[in-house]
Amino acid sequence: MAIPVIDLFAGPGGLGEGFSAVNQGKAFDIRLSIENNIAAHQTLELRSFVHQFEKHALPGAYYEMYEESNLAKRDLLKQKLFERYPREYEKAKDIAWRCTLGSPDFPPELVNQRIAKALAGERNWVLIGGPPCQAYSVVGRSRRQWKENLDEKDHRVHLYKEYLRIIADHHPAVFVMENVRGILSSKLNGEVIFDKILRDLRNPGIIFKNRKAPKYKIFSLTKSGQTDGKGNPYYEYHSDFLIKAENYGVPQNRHRVILLGIRQDVSEPPKTLEKSENLVTLSDVIGDLPKIRSGINRSFIRSEMVLGKKKRFYRKETDSDDAWERLTNSLKAEVISWNGFAREYLASGIDVPPDGRGSEFVSCNTPSQSNPLFDWYHDPNLKGVANHESRVHLVEDLKRYMFSSMFTKTYTRFPRLHEFESHSEALLPDHENAKTGKFADRFRVQVPDQPATTVTSHISKDGHYFIHYDPDQCRSLTVREAARIQTFPDNYLFCGSRTAQYHQVGNAVPPYLAKQIAEIVFKISSSSK
């Protein structure tokens, strides 16, 4: 029997995807995935539907839907797909539950009822997931002007208690809790919140009394640690719970706190993750995707003060292959004229890629056999990739992208804002803090021969931190490229608007890392049967 899994704060399903991949999908059974965001829930429901079929044995109607670029038509095809396979869809709909944990609309009694129904009396089960992390993130705290203490009124700070309550009420044999590294240094009422979280997770009955909650041992997945006088694992540093994804085959410098909790009556001690021999680089995983051009929307004219506020004025630009080719070649020539570092680019002009700006579906033969994650991404029935369309950009931003990618190609690092200014004042954005150094890395090219920097939900706002390394494409990364960096399989389809797709990818746990964690959990859970 597969081991039941309940997934909280599931997002688009990255953590659950890793668990679903162990032993060809036979090790774990995702019984319930809870998510409140509409678009993420749609993605989660569709992926739950996919999991009702054997690997690479999806019906042809799935690929017909996947290959539709028009989002309205794709939604119609998805509906027809569900109607054609009602049993699988009903199962998926039962698994993917749109629910706001901690909300009055979803009281504990209702959540408990749904979880109990999913578990059907099974005691050897696994809880996975992590509470929303914005309140703990270092970036989030910087936006609150680096206040030392978290805002106690921010409900996200307390959402881990909903996770804790479910542990106290339902007693999983194992749990996996994920969060951002900022949780290690966050404080609440002067206390380091991570110490409190560890205490609570070790003994949920302290907070939730009268529930006969078992105690848990909390382990790191990267270090073996020591034991205290009571036989509990002990770690000298909070950073021992930090997992650096690039060390485990993920093409991304993503550092996250992941806690492994094991019920005290489960005796099997966990193993730690095995480091990969080599780093997987950005170009390793996205270099075989179709080349596409950026889009153009408008250009900056001027800014002026209107009623005490700065107002910016723009001109709409034509977005066509011809217009893009003229623009990017002129931008390239302008950058070359500033400084000799770009002389090597004089020889050739820029041509429009065959696929133009790309699309919601682009026909291609990818991944290549040389891709180190070929087996993970590959679906032999796919004739291309979805979610591979470029954004439209401000003309002045395209100039910054051109400069940044050419600079990076020469110096193997992206330029800082002071280097923008030293080459041309026109490169600086029209922002008050452009020269303060506060956001010196505002325009960040992803270096091809290294793992990418952390893909976050900020990628949904603009592409400035995720500029493609190829000057001849002059653009930010697409959703599919971000998904490759996050190690989502190519047949994973993200629902909703492009902004919603980026947001889902940025918030997810890399499935390839999740699978390695799941393999450790499977050994523990199998021994406790």
Side-chain angles (χ1 to χ4, degrees):
M1 291 287 290
I3 297 163
V5 174
I6 305 293
D7 188 2
L8 305 183
F9 310 105
L15 195 51
E17 181 70 13
F19 275 75
S20 296
V22 177
N23 288 1
Q24 299 295 309
K26 297 179 174 63
F28 293 100
D29 178 15
I30 308 291
R31 299 277 183 90
L32 187 64
S33 294
I34 299 177
E35 172 58 36
N36 73 330
N37 179 270
I38 295 174
H41 174 261
Q42 290 172 346
T43 299
L44 193 63
E45 184 180 76
L46 180 59
R47 198 62 187 177
S48 297
F49 175 82
V50 167
H51 289 154
Q52 304 313 307
F53 300 87
E54 293 292 325
K55 185 178 181 181
H56 299 159
L58 284 166
Y62 177 82
Y63 298 100
E64 181 185 352
M65 176 208 60
Y66 181 100
E67 294 171 10
E68 177 54 62
S69 290
N70 183 287
L71 292 181
K73 291 181 180 179
R74 179 184 284 172
D75 284 341
L76 288 174
L77 289 173
K78 182 173 71 171
Q79 212 48 49
K80 290 181 180 178
L81 174 66
F82 290 160
E83 290 170 2
R84 190 170 176 179
Y85 296 91
R87 184 178 64 83
E88 288 82 359
Y89 174 57
E90 287 301 319
K91 184 77 181 293
K93 193 165 63 170
D94 194 47
I95 292 169
W97 184 28
R98 188 165 172 238
C99 161
T100 304
L101 292 171
S103 161
D105 294 332
F106 297 93
E109 299 78 20
L110 177 61
V111 175
N112 282 349
Q113 182 181 15
R114 192 73 182 258
I115 290 175
K117 179 183 175 185
L119 292 175
E122 177 61 61
R123 190 167 180 267
N124 180 42
W125 68 281
V126 178
L127 179 69
I128 63 175
C133 56
Q134 298 95 324
Y136 304 126
S137 73
V138 173
V139 173
R141 280 184 282 150
S142 73
R143 291 179 184 141
R144 294 192 299 275
Q145 301 177 338
W146 295 100
K147 291 181 180 178
E148 183 185 25
N149 288 343
L150 292 168
D151 184 356
E152 191 171 10
K153 295 179 182 177
D154 188 337
H155 75 283
R156 297 171 302 183
V157 174
H158 298 284
L159 276 177
Y160 91 92
K161 287 186 178 179
E162 189 65 18
Y163 190 99
L164 183 70
R165 183 193 64 75
I166 290 171
I167 293 173
D169 283 345
H170 299 279
H171 315 166
V174 180
F175 66 79
V176 176
M177 180 175 165
E178 182 263 355
N179 220 294
V180 293
R181 67 181 300 167
I183 200 172
L184 298 178
S185 56
S186 298
K187 292 183 178 181
L188 185 63
N189 297 327
E191 180 184 10
V192 176
I193 197 169
F194 190 64
D195 289 329
K196 176 175 173 52
I197 288 173
L198 286 177
R199 286 199 305 271
D200 292 346
L201 291 172
R202 287 176 179 136
N203 188 2
I206 293 176
I207 302 295
F208 296 97
K209 306 183 188 310
N210 304 319
R211 279 172 163 91
K212 297 182 179 179
K215 293 182 179 180
Y216 287 81
K217 297 179 180 180
I218 311 299
F219 292 89
S220 162
L221 284 160
T222 60
K223 295 191 176 182
S224 297
Q226 306 170 4
T227 55
D228 62 16
K230 299 179 181 179
N232 295 309
Y234 169 76
Y235 299 91
E236 187 173 358
Y237 304 105
H238 286 167
S239 59
D240 290 342
F241 294 98
L242 195 68
I243 292 181
K244 297 181 178 181
E246 67 272 20
N247 292 332
Y248 305 99
V250 176
Q252 178 186 184
N253 291 308
R254 190 180 192 88
H255 301 167
R256 291 292 187 265
V257 173
I258 299 185
L259 307 177
L260 177 66
I262 303 179
R263 204 172 57 213
Q264 281 203 335
D265 64 299
V266 179
S267 59
E268 177 73 10
K271 298 185 181 299
T272 55
L273 293 166
E274 293 185 17
K275 289 187 176 181
S276 303
E277 292 184 5
N278 301 303
L279 293 177
V280 180
T281 70
L282 176 63
S283 60
D284 283 340
V285 297
I286 73 167
D288 55 12
L289 288 168
K291 292 185 177 183
I292 57 175
R293 71 167 178 88
S294 52
I296 313 168
N297 62 352
R298 56 183 182 168
S299 58
F300 176 73
I301 301 174
R302 70 183 189 281
S303 64
E304 60 184 57
M305 297 301 292
V306 178
L307 299 176
K309 293 184 179 180
K310 179 179 276 192
K311 184 174 181 179
R312 297 181 177 89
F313 296 87
Y314 299 90
R315 177 177 57 243
K316 185 172 176 58
E317 299 289 347
T318 300
D319 184 20
S320 68
D321 287 350
D322 289 342
W324 181 86
E325 189 170 304
R326 287 193 301 271
L327 173 64
T328 51
N329 276 288
S330 69
L331 294 178
K332 181 178 180 180
E334 186 178 357
V335 172
I336 289 171
S337 73
W338 293 333
N339 191 289
F341 83 85
R343 294 296 177 191
E344 64 183 271
Y345 301 104
L346 280 170
S348 61
I350 298 174
D351 297 320
V352 177
D355 290 301
R357 278 188 55 206
S359 178
E360 271 297 307
F361 177 77
V362 179
S363 297
C364 59
N365 184 19
T366 182
S368 68
Q369 292 282 349
S370 61
N371 191 314
L373 294 179
F374 172 85
D375 290 334
W376 182 255
Y377 296 130
H378 181 58
D379 181 339
N381 299 314
L382 280 182
K383 299 176 183 176
V385 290
N387 311 129
H388 190 53
E389 181 177 23
S390 73
R391 280 185 166 105
V392 293
H393 295 289
L394 186 70
V395 167
E396 286 70 24
D397 283 338
L398 290 178
K399 182 186 293 188
R400 296 174 186 115
Y401 290 7
M402 179 66 72
F403 167 75
S404 300
S405 55
M406 292 170 75
F407 185 101
T408 300
K409 195 168 185 179
T410 299
Y411 297 118
T412 66
R413 66 173 179 84
F414 63 86
R416 302 287 179 164
L417 271 186
H418 72 85
E419 290 167 309
F420 280 62
E421 185 181 15
S422 67
H423 285 85
S424 173
E425 187 82 18
L427 283 174
L428 288 180
D430 183 43
H431 292 292
E432 292 77 7
N433 58 10
K435 296 185 180 182
T436 65
K438 187 175 181 181
F439 293 100
D441 59 350
R442 180 185 294 274
F443 295 91
R444 178 180 291 183
V445 176
Q446 297 298 316
V447 181
D449 59 356
Q450 300 174 15
T453 56
T454 308
V455 177
T456 66
S457 61
H458 185 272
I459 196 173
S460 67
K461 299 184 183 301
D462 61 54
H464 300 341
Y465 283 83
F466 305 96
I467 301 170
H468 198 288
Y469 52 80
D470 183 4
D472 288 354
Q473 297 184 62
C474 193
R475 61 178 177 82
S476 58
L477 299 181
T478 66
V479 172
R480 182 51 54 189
E481 287 165 335
R484 280 274 182 96
I485 293 168
Q486 281 278 58
T487 66
F488 280 95
D490 281 352
N491 64 11
Y492 213 109
L493 185 65
F494 294 91
C495 300
S497 66
R498 191 186 309 127
T499 297
Q501 293 169 14
Y502 276 120
H503 196 270
Q504 292 168 58
V505 174
N507 275 338
V509 176
Y512 188 68
L513 175 63
K515 178 177 182 286
Q516 296 170 66
I517 295 171
E519 287 168 343
I520 292 173
V521 172
F522 182 62
K523 291 178 181 177
I524 298 166
S525 300
S526 298
S527 71
S528 67
K529 286 185 176 181

